[in-house]
């Protein structure tokens, strides 16, 4: 009896050996990769540029207001529902960070219309 020895893949009929990536020709119409894509802010969120204020909500004790708060946080801060739920369960609810005073006060007015309380705080810059 002869011992069975499998043939290498390239030696099988009808198959060619694959060239290494360096030897492979570039696909027509495709650009070479340029590295990682630039980071973009999340949906609805504006980049924090030059703002020195935070919007901080008071803890939410009424369960009926939690759903309203989640919807508002999702719209204003541009976060997912899961992130908004985590935010309202935290002892300190920071909805916006590093925004202008006008933007923080406009967002606070939206929360106050729904019966939620909070404040606009000046950020402390530690140098």
């Amino acid at each position: 009896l002869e011992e069975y020895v499998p043939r290498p893949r390239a030696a099988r009929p009808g198959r060619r050996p694959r060239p290494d990536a360096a030897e492979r020709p570039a696909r027509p119409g495709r650009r070479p990769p340029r590295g990682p894509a630039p980071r973009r802010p999340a949906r609805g969120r504006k980049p924090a540029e030059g703002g020195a204020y935070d919007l901080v909500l008071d803890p939410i004790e009424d369960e009926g207001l939690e759903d309203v708060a989640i919807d508002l946080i999702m719209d204003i801060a541009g976060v997912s529902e899961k992130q908004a739920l985590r935010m309202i369960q935290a002892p300190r609810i920071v909805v916006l960070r590093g925004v202008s005073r006008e933007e923080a006060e406009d967002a606070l007015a939206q929360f106050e219309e729904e019966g939620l309380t909070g404040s606009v705080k000046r950020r402390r810059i530690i140098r």
Side-chain angles (χ1 to χ4, degrees), residues 45 53-60 73-74 76-79 83-84 86-99 104 107 111 117-121 123:
R45 183 181 293 177
Y53 293 90
D54 293 344
L55 171 59
V56 182
L57 291 181
D58 296 334
I60 302 168
I73 290 171
M74 286 170 47
I76 293 172
V79 296
Q83 289 171 321
R86 283 186 186 162
M87 286 173 75
I88 67 166
Q89 292 172 347
R92 185 166 185 249
I93 307 169
V94 182
V95 179
L96 295 174
R97 292 176 191 247
V99 296
F111 282 105
T117 58
S119 60
V120 175
K121 306 263 185 184
R123 297 191 87 187

Side-chain angles (χ1 to χ4, degrees), residues 11-65:
R12 292 184 187 162
R15 289 225 169 143
R16 297 179 307 192
R18 290 187 63 165
D20 291 336
E23 299 171 6
R24 228 180 282 161
R27 293 183 188 170
R30 292 212 176 186
R31 286 188 263 161
R34 296 183 183 180
R39 294 197 66 190
R40 295 185 185 136
R43 174 183 56 89
R45 183 181 293 177
K46 296 175 185 157
E49 294 177 357
Y53 293 90
D54 293 344
L55 171 59
V56 182
L57 291 181
D58 296 334
I60 302 168
E61 297 170 359
D62 185 12
E63 290 183 15
L65 289 177

